[in-house]
Amino acid sequence: MPLETLRRLSVLGLVALASAGAATLGAGVGQATRSVSAPPAIRAVAHQAPVVAHCPVPTKLRPAFEAAARDTDLPASLLYAVAKIESNMKPNARSSAGARGLLQLMPGTGGMLALDIDTPTSNVLAGARYLRQMLDEVGSNDLALAAYNAGPTAVARAGGAPSGDVLSYVANVDEVWRSHAGCR
């Protein structure tokens, strides 16, 4: 299937396509052999997953994730998943594009939200607020994650995931989120 056709499909459609025909998408999907079912809706915070005995959020960062989750009505496990994929939970992470911190925010995004992205607590809150904005704009978990990663303009222009890398990002966040859904 041509990449241009893939770009026009919604992220959710691409995730379903990846599950059904992962071998045909190859490297554009990343780790295509895993199952990619959609996690519960973000608004459905009170899902029935059992509490995970070990929450991988470091103890010193847990209050930041819990506060950001309360502030934005997003599951802390989703915020953890974004931080895990974005920075591997490294507060001082910096990307080659200039994104910084646990949730890998650009300085302009931090400025727009009036939060210091170089402080872990503020970085988590800024990332959570930005993800909440993306969700409110697009109304879909997967499209919100794609917009968080690639930018809302790129997602709108492409009508979904603008690249296979973005699709892989969404699938990876979804996988981590599902595996830690009961973590509080």
Side-chain angles (χ1 to χ4, degrees), residues 12 15 21 31-32 35 44 60 62 65 71 83 86 96 108 114 116 121 125 132 136 153 156 159 164 169 173 178:
L12 193 53
V15 169
Q31 298 173 340
S35 173
K60 68 181 181 179
R62 219 171 269 172
F65 281 85
D71 181 83
E86 288 285 353
S96 59
D116 177 9
T121 300
L125 181 58
R132 167 51 66 197
D136 291 345
T153 304
Y169 169 84
V173 171
R178 273 192 318 282

Side-chain angles (χ1 to χ4, degrees), residues 164-184:
D165 288 342
V166 175
L167 174 61
S168 292
Y169 169 84
V170 171
N172 290 334
V173 171
D174 283 347
E175 181 178 314
V176 172
W177 181 19
R178 273 192 318 282
S179 69
H180 294 92
C183 182
R184 301 191 205 308

Side-chain angles (χ1 to χ4, degrees), residues 20 41 55 75 115 126 151:
C55 287
L115 290 164

Side-chain angles (χ1 to χ4, degrees), residues 22-78:
T24 62
L25 292 175
V29 174
Q31 298 173 340
T33 57
R34 67 177 179 270
S35 173
V36 193
S37 61
I42 291 176
R43 285 280 182 204
V45 174
H47 43 86
Q48 302 299 341
V51 174
V52 176
H54 171 70
C55 287
V57 177
T59 305
K60 68 181 181 179
L61 295 173
R62 219 171 269 172
F65 281 85
E66 292 168 354
R70 280 191 308 274
D71 181 83
T72 60
D73 195 27
L74 295 174
S77 55
L78 171 60

Side-chain angles (χ1 to χ4, degrees), residues 1-11 14 17 24-30 154 157-168:
M1 181 176 294
L3 183 58
E4 190 58 36
T5 303
L6 290 175
R7 287 183 177 151
R8 287 201 168 97
L9 295 173
S10 72
V11 172
L14 285 174
L17 181 61
T24 62
L25 292 175
V29 174
R157 190 178 310 128
S163 70
D165 288 342
V166 175
L167 174 61
S168 292

